[in-house]
């Protein structure tokens, strides 16, 4: 049994390692919690499942770990179907949201557990435990019980325990949910660092989009049991494929209108209040179709000299100016709506807009994305 | 970090210069006094309803002045003549005087009864001799021996010597099948009257068996209760608690209906031809009856502490173990069971202690072989041998306390979780 789940050499990187093939899941036989999931995770990849509460992320993870059975479809691990493989034979490391450290065992015993059940000898076990604890800088805590550790320390032990038996795949279900912001950011960095140095494949679940964007190679945005978009963080942020993703990831300004003109990757949109703006069509195709144009606050320009050539501009009224340290955040009234936000960097030459001021704003057409309404 | 504080703690002072320890004690003392006031009524109640009666029980187990009170002359003689002195004329003179007084006060039976615990036939010896006590003339030795030759028995005199002091360990000796020999040493009681050791053994063995049976039956039930959705587990919980709402007597007699030789179970077995009509199995009025009925009655006391420990254990522990490579059996054995240990220990201790002192069920369905020590305690109470009953009860209490102490040493009492 030992060694079967040891890490695979990295020359096979980018090969498909985990595969969800048309997977469906229903708990009650009435509604589908996961609808037709097709997803592949490459070897060595850090893939994050991101989505609102109840969107089926944990369910997917549990199916992969073997604690829930897929109602339909096949899950493959390293090319091998695992629907019928019991959890303890899958060799998948897992970090639970509440850590699930065994309270009646010391830290060292917790880490020894996966090695003992694999029948590993004592000396080899101890070497691995020491290595795993050092990896998370917890070497001095081997004799403690979980109850004697802080949340962040328990987190590290849970991580070490999931890694100590050298699984090729590690699943993490909101592992940082219970930590404060500073510790969370620190742990994000450490997990990312471990992922890179160990070359393991990680499937990570979170509903914190910042976490998803900073840590992942690719992010799968879930909603309502369906993957809305599966893409690297920058693409997800800059080129969301539908209005759900656009609104879920980061802050967005939304303008409602109709397609006036559309040709080779450029669209002209007539807003409901009559103004014309430039946009890039994403999942709209026909003239006259209703659309929702989404623009990131930091991509909006208001200084005439910075405006891209030939861009349409529209009028705006400054409602509020907020000083945020590194940024200025200004709320505007644009095309009849009061929640249009722009962000500008706090530099020496930056202008502070005054409430009541009337300005004209514009953007590069690539930055405004015309999505389904 | 903790060491640093402890190391320098001795010198620390509060802002106004008092030693830190003193200030802390003062601040906490106030809160503690108020808390004590709050529990005072309960404390007094426990003191008077629990500590005092048990104290009295212990005292009465050691003392019996039925004889000493009525035999002042003999008492004086025993005081003057140490053990081993010949039983001479002066001893018989004292006996004659006491018997005379006993006749007048009609206490000869009481005196004889006390000696009778150790020397059978003593009661009738005392009453019959006392009847003629007026007629005894010196020399008393000849006169008394002429009336009843049985008086010339060293065991009898040793017994009287012990009974003449009102404090005696004899009841405790008797409770473990020992007695005083003629020379005042300690020896085993004659074979035919050795019942207590056997009964204690049987009580503890049966209680242990019943505890194990309750655990075997209760563990899966509690696990089911703890893992089922609340809707179903509440319903199941009612079934577990149902026996509590039924009279103990009803539950015990229903077992009689089920198990007696003309009972439901035997009828079914005969009906299916598994046993012949003349081969009906005896399942009640013996140890089997005691075991079956008590296991049933004590089961909820096992299920409830187990349930209360199991309910809050999140399923993620076992899942974590499974994901770490443990088979479901290993995960159960190494992760789940250890976490339920406080419940197992609490339920086990509770059931065992209740079983050790159980009276009514063995009395009703135990027959001769299913009697427990409590039944004998009750027997002595009925026969007004308070001291013997008290000695047995004290031993039982002692055994339970030892068990409790062992438990504390082995598992730790703070691990106990009753609900
Ligand atoms: N054991 C279960 N029995 C029945 N329904 C369940 C069960 N577990 C989850 N569900 C339902 O399935 C849906 C998806 O749940 P899931 O736990 O996968 O969501 P999630 O994306 O992990 O949410 P969160 O971010 O809140 O953890 C939810 O509507 C939930 O109510
Ligand atoms: Mg979840």
């Amino acid at each position: 049994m030992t060694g079967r789940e040891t890490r695979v050499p990295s020359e096979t990187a980018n090969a498909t390692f985990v595969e969800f093939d048309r997977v469906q899941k229903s708990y009650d036989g009435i509604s589908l919690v996961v609808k037709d999931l097709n997803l592949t995770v490459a070897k060595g990849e850090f893939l994050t499942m991101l989505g609102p509460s109840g969107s089926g992320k944990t369910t997917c993870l549990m199916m992969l770990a073997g604690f829930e059975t897929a109602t339909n479809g096949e899950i493959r691990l390293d090319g091998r179907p695992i629907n019928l493989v019991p959890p303890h034979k899958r060799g998948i490391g897992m970090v639970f949201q509440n850590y699930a450290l065994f309270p009646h065992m010391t830290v060292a015993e917790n880490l020894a557990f996966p090695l003992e059940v694999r029948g590993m000898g004592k000396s080899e076990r101890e070497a691995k435990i020491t290595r795993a604890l050092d990896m998370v800088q917890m070497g001095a805590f081997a004799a403690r019980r979980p109850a004697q550790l802080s949340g962040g320390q328990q987190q590290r032990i849970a991580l070490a325990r999931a890694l100590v038996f050298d699984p090729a795949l590690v699943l993490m279900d909101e592992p940082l949910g219970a930590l404060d912001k500073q510790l969370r950011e620190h742990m994000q960095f450490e997990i990312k660092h471990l992922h890179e140095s160990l070359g393991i494949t990680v499937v990570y679940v979170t509903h914190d989009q910042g976490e998803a964007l900073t840590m992942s190679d690719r992010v799968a945005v879930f909603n309502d049991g369906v993957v809305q978009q599966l893409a690297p963080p920058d693409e997800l942020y800059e080129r969301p494929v539908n209005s759900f993703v656009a609104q879920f990831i980061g802050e967005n300004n939304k303008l409602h209108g109709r397609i006036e003109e559309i040709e080779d990757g450029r669209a002209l949109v007539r807003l409901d209040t009559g103004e014309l703006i430039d946009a890039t069509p994403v999942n709209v195709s026909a003239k006259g179709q209703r659309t929702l144009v989404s623009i990131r606050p930091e991509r909006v320009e208001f200084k005439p000299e910075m405006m891209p050539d030939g861009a349409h501009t529209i009028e705006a009224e400054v409602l509020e100016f907020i000083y945020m340290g590194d940024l200025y955040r200004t709320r505007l009234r644009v095309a009849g709506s009061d929640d249009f936000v722009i962000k500008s960097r706090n530099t020496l030459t930056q202008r502070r807009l005054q409430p009541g001021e009337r300005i004209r704003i514009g953007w590069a057409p690539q930055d405004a994305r015309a999505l389904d309404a | 970090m903790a060491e640093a504080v402890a190391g320098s703690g001795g010198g620390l002072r509060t802002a106004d210069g008092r030693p830190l320890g003193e200030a802390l004690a003062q601040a906490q003392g106030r809160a503690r006094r108020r808390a004590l006031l709050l529990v005072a009524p309960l404390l007094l109640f426990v003191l008077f309803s629990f500590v005092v009666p048990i104290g009295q029980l212990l005292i009465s187990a050691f003392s019996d002045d039925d004889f000493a009170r009525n035999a002042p002359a003999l008492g004086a003689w025993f005081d003057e003549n140490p053990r081993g002195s010949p039983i001479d004329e002066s001893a018989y003179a004292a006996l004659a005087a006491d018997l005379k007084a006993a006749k007048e006060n009609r206490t000869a039976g009481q005196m004889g009864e006390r000696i009778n615990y150790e020397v059978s036939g003593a009661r009738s010896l005392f009453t019959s001799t006392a009847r003629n006590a007026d007629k005894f003339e010196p020399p008393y030795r000849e006169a008394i021996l002429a009336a009843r030759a049985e008086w010339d028995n060293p065991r009898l005199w040793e017994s009287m010597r012990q009974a003449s002091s009102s404090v005696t360990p004899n009841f405790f000796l008797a409770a473990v099948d020992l007695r005083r020999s003629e020379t005042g040493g300690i020896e085993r009681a004659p074979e035919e009257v050795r019942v207590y050791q056997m009964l204690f053994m049987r009580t503890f063995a049966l209680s242990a068996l019943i505890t194990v049976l309750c655990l075997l039956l209760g563990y899966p039930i509690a696990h089911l209760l703890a893992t089922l959705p609340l809707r179903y587990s509440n319903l199941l919980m009612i079934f577990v608690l149902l026996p509590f709402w039924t009279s103990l007597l009803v539950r015990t007699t229903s077992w009689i209906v089920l198990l007696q030789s003309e009972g439901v179970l035997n009828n079914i077995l005969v009906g299916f031809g598994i046993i012949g009509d003349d081969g009906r199995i005896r399942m009640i009025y013996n140890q089997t009856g005691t075991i079956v009925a008590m296991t049933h009655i004590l089961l909820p006391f096992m299920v409830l502490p187990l349930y209360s420990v199991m309910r809050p254990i999140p399923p993620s522990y076992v899942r974590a173990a499974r994901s770490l490579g443990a088979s479901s059996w290993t995960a159960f054995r190494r992760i789940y069971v250890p976490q339920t240990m406080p419940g197992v220990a609490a339920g086990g201790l509770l059931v065992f202690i209740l079983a050790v002192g159980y009276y009514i069920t063995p009395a009703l369905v135990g027959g001769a072989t299913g009697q427990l020590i409590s039944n004998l305690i009750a027997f002595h109470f009925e026969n007004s041998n308070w001291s013997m009953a008290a000695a047995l009860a004290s031993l039982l209490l002692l055994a339970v306390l030892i068990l409790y102490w062992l438990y504390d040493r082995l598992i730790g009492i703070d691990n106990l979780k009753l609900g």
Side-chain angles (χ1 to χ4, degrees), chain A residues 146-208:
Chain A
Q148 300 166 320
L149 300 174
S150 74
Q153 290 168 336
Q154 290 185 32
Q155 214 323 295
R156 284 159 195 264
I157 300 302
L159 196 60
R161 190 180 65 178
L163 295 172
V164 72
F165 59 99
D166 298 325
L169 174 63
V170 176
L171 313 182
M172 305 190 191
D173 191 358
E174 303 194 29
L176 307 180
L179 305 182
D180 64 58
K181 186 166 177 291
Q182 212 167 354
L183 195 55
R184 197 159 62 218
E185 279 167 7
H186 182 70
M187 286 304 295
Q188 286 171 8
F189 169 77
E190 288 201 6
I191 291 174
K192 188 70 193 145
H193 179 76
L194 280 174
H195 164 248
E196 277 159 10
S197 63
L198 297 178
I200 47 176
T201 309
V202 177
V203 178
Y204 193 96
V205 165
T206 182
H207 52 226
D208 178 340

Side-chain angles (χ1 to χ4, degrees), chain B residues 36-223:
Chain B
L36 191 70
L37 219 61
L38 223 66
V39 298
L42 184 67
L43 205 66
L44 284 176
F45 176 78
V46 168
L47 199 71
F48 280 107
S49 63
F50 198 69
V51 177
V52 172
I54 287 184
Q56 266 197 331
L57 178 96
L58 280 172
I59 290 168
S60 73
F62 276 108
S63 75
D64 181 352
D65 61 352
D66 278 357
F67 184 84
R69 184 159 32 89
N70 296 314
L74 274 170
W77 187 85
F78 284 128
D79 284 344
E80 279 159 27
N81 300 276
R83 193 168 266 128
S85 340
I87 312 295
D88 55 11
E89 175 61 20
S90 60
Y92 279 93
L95 177 62
D98 283 341
L99 285 176
K100 233 174 256 173
K103 183 183 179 187
E104 277 160 32
N105 303 331
R106 299 170 185 283
T107 52
Q110 212 176 24
M111 284 171 81
E113 181 74 41
R114 167 67 186 80
I115 305 302
N116 205 53
Y117 297 153
E118 283 144 25
V119 181
S120 52
R123 189 189 153 88
S124 73
L125 182 65
F126 271 82
T127 47
S128 74
T129 318
R131 217 171 291 134
N132 305 320
D134 293 340
K135 297 174 198 130
F136 293 145
E137 299 286 338
Y140 289 110
R141 189 180 142 84
E142 278 71 32
I144 291 176
L145 287 182
R148 292 291 291 263
E150 290 99 317
W151 283 106
D152 187 18
N153 176 358
R155 168 158 293 286
L156 185 67
W157 283 88
E158 173 58 30
S159 212
M160 287 197 291
R161 177 187 285 277
Q162 283 164 27
S164 70
S165 94
S166 58
V167 178
T168 166
N170 284 14
F171 297 107
F172 278 100
L173 291 178
V176 288
D177 291 337
L178 295 175
R179 65 172 192 188
R180 279 295 172 75
S181 64
E182 291 163 25
T183 56
I186 291 171
E187 61 179 22
R188 295 197 65 184
E191 187 108 35
E192 66 278 6
V193 296
R194 281 183 215 156
V195 287
Y196 299 109
Q197 271 185 13
M198 187 274 288
L199 260 179
F200 269 115
M201 299 283 258
R202 182 200 284 167
T203 303
F204 285 112
L206 284 191
S207 299
L209 180 65
I210 289 164
T211 308
V212 169
L213 287 175
C214 279
L215 183 63
L216 288 181
L217 291 172
Y219 203 94
I221 298 175
H223 182 67

Side-chain angles (χ1 to χ4, degrees), chain A residues 67 88 92 101 104 116 118, chain B residues 317 319 322 324 326 334:
Chain A
F67 298 120
H88 66 283
I92 298 176
L101 295 176
H104 58 292
E116 274 169 28
R118 285 173 171 73
Chain B
Y317 288 122
R319 286 186 165 183
R322 301 270 280 140
L324 292 171
R334 296 216 26 212

Side-chain angles (χ1 to χ4, degrees), chain A residues 67-309:
Chain A
F67 298 120
E68 295 291 351
T69 50
T71 312
N72 186 34
E74 198 169 73
I75 303 172
R76 284 187 285 272
L77 182 63
D78 215 3
R80 192 162 54 104
I82 54 168
N83 290 37
L84 298 176
V85 179
H88 66 283
K89 297 213 171 126
R90 296 190 181 191
I92 298 176
M94 184 145 186
V95 181
F96 290 80
Q97 178 163 17
N98 61 358
Y99 316 136
L101 295 176
F102 308 136
H104 58 292
M105 296 182 180
T106 64
V107 164
E109 286 164 349
N110 263 284
L111 264 69
F113 185 81
L115 307 178
E116 274 169 28
V117 297
R118 285 173 171 73
M120 192 177 283
K122 193 168 186 326
S123 57
E124 196 184 350
R125 229 157 54 202
E126 273 166 6
K128 275 188 181 281
I129 292 169
T130 312
R131 198 168 51 104
L133 283 179
D134 288 344
M135 206 160 64
V136 293
Q137 292 118 52
M138 291 290 291
F141 295 85
R144 295 258 192 111
R145 299 232 168 205
Q148 300 166 320
L149 300 174
S150 74
Q153 290 168 336
Q154 290 185 32
Q155 214 323 295
R156 284 159 195 264
I157 300 302
L159 196 60
R161 190 180 65 178
L163 295 172
V164 72
F165 59 99
D166 298 325
L169 174 63
V170 176
L171 313 182
M172 305 190 191
D173 191 358
E174 303 194 29
L176 307 180
L179 305 182
D180 64 58
K181 186 166 177 291
Q182 212 167 354
L183 195 55
R184 197 159 62 218
E185 279 167 7
H186 182 70
M187 286 304 295
Q188 286 171 8
F189 169 77
E190 288 201 6
I191 291 174
K192 188 70 193 145
H193 179 76
L194 280 174
H195 164 248
E196 277 159 10
S197 63
L198 297 178
I200 47 176
T201 309
V202 177
V203 178
Y204 193 96
V205 165
T206 182
H207 52 226
D208 178 340
Q209 42 147 317
E211 200 165 291
L213 294 181
T214 51
M215 296 177 80
S216 325
D217 295 328
R218 283 191 305 161
V219 179
V221 180
F222 274 67
N223 188 39
D224 201 18
V226 174
V227 175
Q228 305 286 334
Q229 185 171 4
L230 173 61
D234 53 346
E235 192 180 324
L236 205 63
Y237 188 80
E238 283 159 31
R239 290 186 290 282
V241 294
N242 60 31
S243 52
F244 175 82
V245 179
Q247 286 169 56
F248 191 74
I249 309 279
E251 204 174 8
N252 253 299
N253 291 306
K254 290 161 284 189
L255 295 171
H256 293 274
R258 240 172 240 289
I259 306 285
E260 181 94 355
E261 265 172 43
I262 184 164
E263 55 176 305
D264 51 301
R266 284 292 202 94
L268 209 56
V269 175
R270 168 121 13 227
L271 298 184
D272 295 349
T273 45
E275 296 94 336
L276 271 179
I277 57 168
D278 301 305
T280 305
V282 177
N283 55 356
V284 286
S285 51
K287 203 170 152 173
Q289 195 181 341
R290 281 206 62 79
T291 181
L292 182 127
V293 181
S294 118
I295 312 138
R296 298 284 178 200
E298 66 275 18
R299 296 291 172 95
V300 179
E301 284 300 343
F302 63 92
K303 282 175 285 191
E305 69 273 16
M306 302 288 289
M307 215 67 83
D309 286 344

